[in-house]
Amino acid sequence: MNPVSHALPYICGIHPYVPGKPITQLAREFGLAPDSILKLASNENPLGMSPKARQAVTAALDGVERYPDQHDLLAALAAHHGIRPEQVVLGNGSNDVLDLVARVFLCSGRSAVMAQYAFAVYPLVTVATGAECLVAPARHFGHDPHAMRAALRPDTRVVWIANPNNPTGTFLPQTGLRDLIAAIPQDVVVVLDEAYTEYLPLAERIDSIAWLDAFPNLVVTRTFSKIYGLAGLRIGYAVARPEIAELMNRVRQPFNVGNLGLVAAIAALGDHLFVAESYDLNRRGMEEIVAGLKRLGLEHIPSHGNFVTFVAPDASRVNRRLLEQAVIVRPLGGYGMPQHLRVTIGREAENQRFLAALGKALAS
Ligand SMILES: *Cc1c(COP(=O)(O)O)cnc(C)c1O
């Protein structure tokens, strides 16, 4: 006998998350110098971290013997969003706050609704509680509000929505999203994951946090991993009604965000110049890459994030040919999209290198 046979059956059924291949791993596998490798696989900020955040992290190295205190970041986020600190829950990345929602509201005998091709962490955190995933068919690779509503069951306790969605880059505009949330019973938690909201033009951006007044069941999540360039420090957060935030904080590890992440996030939040530069670089890079894909005759899904997903004939072979040229993109077989590859928008020279490598990969 061994304890493996006593593992919870729903844990055994989990398909582990497959991250973008790390630079260090490709370097080991192919015997490449790490700095010769171009990684455009995990929607990381090609500009690195904000200089202000870097300064804050350096200064905070004195003090890492102390346990962290979340007070100042909670206050900064409350001021930034015009809400109360009791409405904010910090996470070790926003993946962590998704897990907190699942642990508060899901268990076996309950279900959660999500869209086909939605972010892979939703099924992971759902299944880890023993709850069931109800997958609503996508429409043009995006959330279909009608199908999402039809998927609801009496035992549904959470609805996961990514807007914009990863890995498809699709976006549900304000009216359609609001109508969908309004159609969900108010005792069902709606998690609105807005990891890429800062990449939307101002005119398209949704003030979803203001919707908390109308929808007490809403939980909005944001991250410092994308436009703020702090993916490796692991900081994200949820904004909700205080009663929901309080429940999530009960299951949160007390020190889930480290000292360096806390100070970096405060500095990054105030570095408007860096955010604006990151936004502009992404706009220009998106145009370059989309134009390049068209030149190569490849179809893509119009994207509202910092990445674009395209169809590649024999995608796994193209992916291999790109790896041989030290270019890492993201294959999407795990999402049920084996014909697609996802590329993160880089700096101009990186985008050109990717397009040249892709051209070669298609020709060889
Ligand atoms: C990248 C991403 C996140 C952020 O994850 P972190 O844990 O904050 O790094 C959340 N949701 C989606 C849809 C993402 O693509």
Side-chain angles (χ1 to χ4, degrees), residues 92-95 119 122 162 166 193 195-196 223 225-226 234-236:
N92 192 247
S94 59
N95 280 259
F119 188 43
Y122 310 149
N166 169 23
D193 176 351
Y196 300 96
T223 182
S225 297
K226 305 285 157 58
R234 313 300 306 127
I235 323 133

Side-chain angles (χ1 to χ4, degrees), residues 222-297:
R222 302 275 176 92
T223 182
F224 285 94
S225 297
K226 305 285 157 58
I227 209 163
Y228 293 105
L230 301 175
L233 281 174
R234 313 300 306 127
I235 323 133
Y237 59 99
V239 178
R241 290 277 185 104
E243 311 87 90
I244 292 184
E246 196 267 339
L247 287 164
M248 291 170 65
N249 275 319
R250 290 187 197 200
V251 290
R252 182 177 60 74
Q253 301 274 335
F255 305 112
N256 63 335
V257 183
N259 300 357
L260 303 184
L262 291 169
V263 296
I266 295 171
L269 204 56
D271 197 341
H272 306 292
L273 185 63
F274 178 80
V275 172
E277 280 172 2
S278 302
Y279 174 89
D280 289 340
L281 184 77
N282 188 64
R283 287 272 124 187
R284 292 196 302 273
M286 182 69 81
E287 282 176 21
E288 285 159 18
I289 291 202
V290 165
L293 293 172
K294 282 186 181 155
R295 267 197 311 277
L296 293 168

